[in-house]
Amino acid sequence: MDPHLLRTFVAVAEAGSFSAAAERLGYTQSAVSQQIAALETDLGLPLLRRRPVEPTEAGARLLEHAGPLLLRLRAARADVLRTAALPAHRLTLAAAPLALNPALAARLARGRAEQPRLRVRLRTTGRDLVAAQVAAGEADLGLTDGITAPSDPLRLPDSGPMTRIGVSEEELVVALPPGHPLAGRTGLRLADLVDARWLATPLCPLERLRDLVGDGFRAGLDYQGEDVHTVRNLVAAGHGLTLLPASAGPGVPLAAPRLVHRVELVHPSLPPGPAARLAAALSPSS
C-alpha cells in the first residue's frame, strides 16, 4: 500500500471533499481523484462514497489503521535523520497543559542554567499529541500526563520506539465551587461522586473515571479546551466538578481509589548532547 496514496485518502476523508483535500495537499482535484482510484484499485474495494463524500465500511476500517501507520512512517524518518544530525542548541519541548508542574518547572530551570547556550521552545499541546509530535521529530522532548494508579505507566498511543520515564506523581484533588456542601471534607471517595455533575474536559476525561469506578459521572458541561484557568472558572460557577493535580489549585484530596496525576517524559533515542542533558535534568534523579 503506497503511503502517498494513503495520506491522500486520509485528507479526503477528513475534509469530506475532493476539492478541499486538493487545496490542503497542494494538488489538483483531478490528481486527488486519480490517487483515490489507484488506492481503491490496489485494495480491490471502494473506499469512499462520492455523494456525499464519506468512507465506505472498508474505508472506515482503513482509517482506523491509517493514522498509526502514517505516524510510524514519520517516526521512522525522523529517527533516521537524527542519526546524522549535529547536536542542536535550540530544542522544542512539547508539554500537556497540566504536565509542567512547579517541581518540573524548577528542574527545567536548572537544566537550562547548566546549558547557558541552550534555547528551549516550550509548546503546549494536547496530551494525546505529545508522543506523536516527539516521534515525528516535531519536538525533541515531551511531557505528557494522565490519571493512573501510583507507579502505573500511562496509556499512550502507539508512536513507535520511545523512551518513557515517570518524572512526577502528585495527589489529585476534587475541584469544587465555593460553598459546596462537600468543600469542608478532609477527603472524598470517587465512588460517592458518580451522581454529581462533572465537567467533561480533556484534562479529566469522564471515560477514564468510568473505567476506574463504573457508570455515572454525567456531564454538566462539555468543555473541549484545555485551559486550566477556564476550567477552574467553570467549576467555581457551578458547571460541574473535576479532578486536578494538587499543584493546579485548591480542592478536597481524593481519598479513594488511590490515584495520582502522573507525568512522563518521552523521547526517542538521544545521542550525547544538549537534548540528552536536558532530559537528564528533567528526570527525578537529577
Side-chain angles (χ1 to χ4, degrees), residues 27 38 42 48 68 135 140 146 166 185 191 200 239:
Y27 300 149
D42 180 32
L48 291 168
D140 301 282
R185 299 283 187 91
H239 291 286

Side-chain angles (χ1 to χ4, degrees), residues 90-198:
R90 292 181 180 272
L91 302 178
T92 297
L93 172 62
L98 290 173
L100 199 65
N101 59 39
L104 286 172
R107 290 182 204 165
L108 177 61
R110 289 195 295 270
R112 293 181 60 219
E114 293 168 358
Q115 303 187 74
R117 293 179 56 200
L118 183 62
R119 295 293 178 267
V120 178
R121 179 173 61 176
L122 177 63
R123 177 196 299 148
T124 301
T125 189
R127 59 163 57 108
D128 290 337
L129 299 176
V130 171
Q133 291 187 5
V134 173
E138 298 167 10
D140 301 282
L141 306 170
L143 290 171
T144 190
D145 66 345
I147 297 172
T148 186
S151 301
D152 275 4
L154 298 175
R155 302 175 183 176
L156 299 183
D158 180 14
S159 303
M162 192 84 65
T163 297
R164 298 171 51 178
I165 305 168
V167 293
S168 174
E169 286 188 359
E170 62 176 311
E171 73 171 2
L172 290 159
V173 298
V174 182
L176 302 165
H180 193 281
L182 300 176
R185 299 283 187 91
T186 57
L188 290 171
R189 291 165 41 90
L190 198 56
D192 295 333
L193 301 172
V194 293
D195 294 327
R197 288 192 309 166
W198 286 75

Side-chain angles (χ1 to χ4, degrees), residues 127 146-149 152-155 190 203-214 217 243 259-260:
R127 59 163 57 108
I147 297 172
T148 186
D152 275 4
L154 298 175
R155 302 175 183 176
L190 198 56
L203 297 180
C204 178
L206 298 188
E207 294 80 6
R208 179 63 174 140
L209 302 187
R210 295 180 185 121
D211 287 343
L212 293 165
V213 177
F217 302 101
L243 290 180
L259 299 172
V260 295

Side-chain angles (χ1 to χ4, degrees), residues 272-285:
R277 290 195 291 272
L278 186 61
L282 289 168
S283 299
S285 57

